[in-house]
Amino acid sequence: MNRENRVLNIEFRHLRALVAVAEDLNFTRAAERLRTTQPSLSRTIASLEQILGTVLVRRDRQSVNLTADGTRLLAYAQLALSALQEGADAVTGPPLVLRICFAGVVAEITGPAVKAFEGMHPGIEVDIRRYDDPMARLLEGRCHLAILLGSPKNPALETLALTEEVRMAALPASHRLAGQDTIALKELSRETLVINVLAGTTSVNLWDESDMPTKIVRVRNIDEWMEAIALGRGIGVTPASTARFYSHPQIAFRTLSDAPRVPVVLAWRKGDPHPNIPDFAEAVRLSLT
């Protein structure tokens, strides 16, 4: 079956079945939620697998799990179902909702942009959501736009540059450099570096190879990042907005004199049909002038 025919043969019942199985990891519960029978649900999944020519779900007596192909397809299935729901709501339901996601450190941009947009489009509801990893939520379809720190290298996204932020070193209060107003990257040579692997903007590539941090401590959110530094497990490098929105008595933030600035961008998915994405982008431009 060629590529075009495969796509034409996929129905929304296939996508709903995959999403239900992925969320419940149990065919009986997923079937109950879809108001169908377990054998019927199994046949629907088997039909989708046959269309695509790959196994999407593995199950035995003890467990149900998606395969790697199933996991890849899941994100697109969720996005397709979300788009269909929004399309139906646009015709028959309440006014459209525009969902904006952001990390806490860029809240100072989000607020003025939303106010500008609501002033221009008072009939549109804006739903603002904070996530530790807003880009992942954008790609999953949980929001229509995201304000991101750093420039995403993802061909599925469109971006609009908003501003840039100075980088700062986050040091344990007792660190030998905490008394300085500014610090050069070389002065942090061979330090242990704490990195937020989900939404951080820092890697060892900031340094020359001869000066790279000797060890990395990996964390998954801003709270873990702050705590690791406060406990003296390493140093961090972060945009200046982190210092403005977070504080800790055991952490000293100091400006890095020679580190490249961090871009702040507005991002949205290419081809997203929501009609107000261009309007919000324009509101952001106006709020920054």
Side-chain angles (χ1 to χ4, degrees):
M1 186 181 298
N2 63 39
R3 181 174 181 268
E4 183 178 355
N5 286 340
R6 282 201 301 268
V7 172
L8 290 174
N9 284 324
I10 296 175
E11 302 175 15
F12 279 100
R13 66 184 180 90
H14 291 124
L15 304 183
R16 287 195 295 268
L18 180 65
V19 170
V21 169
E23 291 178 349
D24 289 320
L25 295 178
N26 182 288
F27 270 74
T28 300
R29 289 197 298 269
E32 290 174 352
R33 176 151 43 122
L34 295 174
R35 297 182 180 179
T36 187
T37 64
Q38 183 176 334
S40 177
L41 176 60
S42 297
R43 287 193 296 271
T44 301
I45 293 294
S47 171
L48 180 59
E49 291 176 328
Q50 183 176 11
I51 291 169
L52 295 174
T54 187
V55 176
L56 302 173
V57 180
R58 294 193 187 279
R59 59 173 167 167
D60 53 35
R61 293 181 179 179
Q62 285 77 38
S63 64
V64 174
N65 292 288
L66 295 190
T67 64
D69 285 344
T71 300
R72 280 191 287 268
L73 181 60
L74 175 64
Y76 293 100
Q78 291 169 326
L79 188 57
L81 292 172
S82 176
L84 178 64
Q85 184 62 58
E86 286 185 0
D89 288 345
V91 175
T92 63
L96 285 176
V97 175
L98 186 67
R99 294 189 297 276
I100 317 294
C101 55
F102 68 102
V105 292
V106 291
E108 59 189 1
I109 294 175
T110 309
V114 170
K115 288 181 180 178
F117 174 81
E118 289 179 333
M120 296 164 60
H121 304 276
I124 305 299
E125 179 183 347
V126 179
D127 181 11
I128 308 170
R129 303 185 181 189
R130 182 190 180 281
Y131 293 106
D132 288 324
D133 189 1
M135 186 168 76
R137 302 301 175 257
L138 175 63
L139 292 169
E140 292 170 357
R142 298 192 185 186
C143 52
H144 301 104
L145 301 113
I147 298 178
L148 307 175
L149 288 166
S151 297
K153 304 295 189 293
N154 191 313
L157 298 179
E158 299 273 6
T159 61
L160 169 67
L162 303 180
T163 186
E164 292 182 331
E165 291 214 341
V166 171
R167 292 183 196 260
M168 303 189 77
L171 311 171
S174 59
H175 194 278
R176 58 188 172 83
L177 299 174
Q180 298 181 192
D181 291 332
T182 62
I183 298 171
L185 281 171
K186 191 174 182 63
E187 293 181 272
L188 298 174
S189 170
R190 320 309 288 175
E191 293 270 0
T192 296
L193 181 65
V194 182
I195 292 180
N196 180 348
V197 297
L198 288 185
T201 58
T202 300
S203 75
V204 295
N205 294 328
L206 279 177
W207 287 263
D208 294 333
E209 188 173 351
S210 59
D211 296 326
M212 284 184 178
T214 57
K215 183 180 177 183
I216 294 175
V217 174
R218 293 176 173 83
V219 298
R220 297 178 62 83
N221 57 54
I222 185 66
D223 296 317
E224 292 178 3
W225 183 84
M226 297 278 290
E227 196 61 27
I229 295 169
L231 291 172
R233 293 175 179 166
I235 62 97
V237 173
T238 188
S241 55
T242 304
R244 294 194 295 273
F245 282 91
Y246 296 93
S247 63
H248 195 294
Q250 298 303 315
I251 296 178
F253 289 96
R254 299 293 181 264
T255 300
L256 285 168
S257 60
D258 57 349
R261 292 174 177 253
V262 180
V264 182
V265 303
L266 178 70
W268 59 94
R269 298 183 305 275
K270 290 181 179 178
D272 191 311
H274 198 294
N276 295 111
I277 288 175
D279 299 324
F280 188 83
E282 179 61 21
V284 169
R285 290 190 188 95
L286 292 175
S287 71
L288 294 173
T289 57

